[in-house]
Amino acid sequence: MTQISVSELKTNAGKYVTMAMDQDIMITKNGKVVAKLVTAKVDKREAFKHFLSLFPEKGLDLDPEKAREERLG
């Protein structure tokens, strides 16, 4: 993870946008982290886990790998 200042981001925005495709970039202002630049790629597994966490009362305990195997089975 890389940490840069707002002024550094302004100066080299293209460089850090490219870097954010592979790693998170923490942006600081006056020495304090104020923002985080992350990739726009969707992590489907994490999105699925988050979706399941929205409905804990339904007892959904699906394993994405098991569901994939059953689907391809």
Side-chain angles (χ1 to χ4, degrees), residues 2-9 16 25-29 37:
T2 301
Q3 187 169 314
I4 61 169
S5 67
V6 172
S7 59
E8 174 65 17
L9 178 62
Y16 293 110
I25 309 290
M26 304 304 279
I27 302 166
T28 62
K29 184 174 183 178
L37 187 60

Side-chain angles (χ1 to χ4, degrees), residues 45-56 60:
R45 288 185 185 151
E46 286 302 315
F48 184 66
K49 287 179 188 176
H50 175 71
F51 174 76
L52 291 179
S53 73
L54 297 175
F55 305 98
L60 297 175

Side-chain angles (χ1 to χ4, degrees), residues 1-70:
M1 176 174 24
T2 301
Q3 187 169 314
I4 61 169
S5 67
V6 172
S7 59
E8 174 65 17
L9 178 62
K10 286 180 185 178
T11 303
N12 297 303
K15 171 185 171 183
Y16 293 110
V17 167
T18 301
M19 283 178 65
M21 293 168 46
D22 298 318
Q23 64 177 306
D24 293 349
I25 309 290
M26 304 304 279
I27 302 166
T28 62
K29 184 174 183 178
N30 298 325
K32 295 181 182 179
V33 175
V34 295
K36 182 174 163 182
L37 187 60
V38 298
T39 184
K41 295 178 190 173
V42 176
D43 183 341
K44 292 180 182 178
R45 288 185 185 151
E46 286 302 315
F48 184 66
K49 287 179 188 176
H50 175 71
F51 174 76
L52 291 179
S53 73
L54 297 175
F55 305 98
E57 70 280 355
K58 298 292 183 186
L60 297 175
D61 187 24
L62 298 175
D63 177 5
E65 291 301 319
K66 184 178 177 184
R68 182 179 184 273
E69 289 174 13
E70 289 174 358

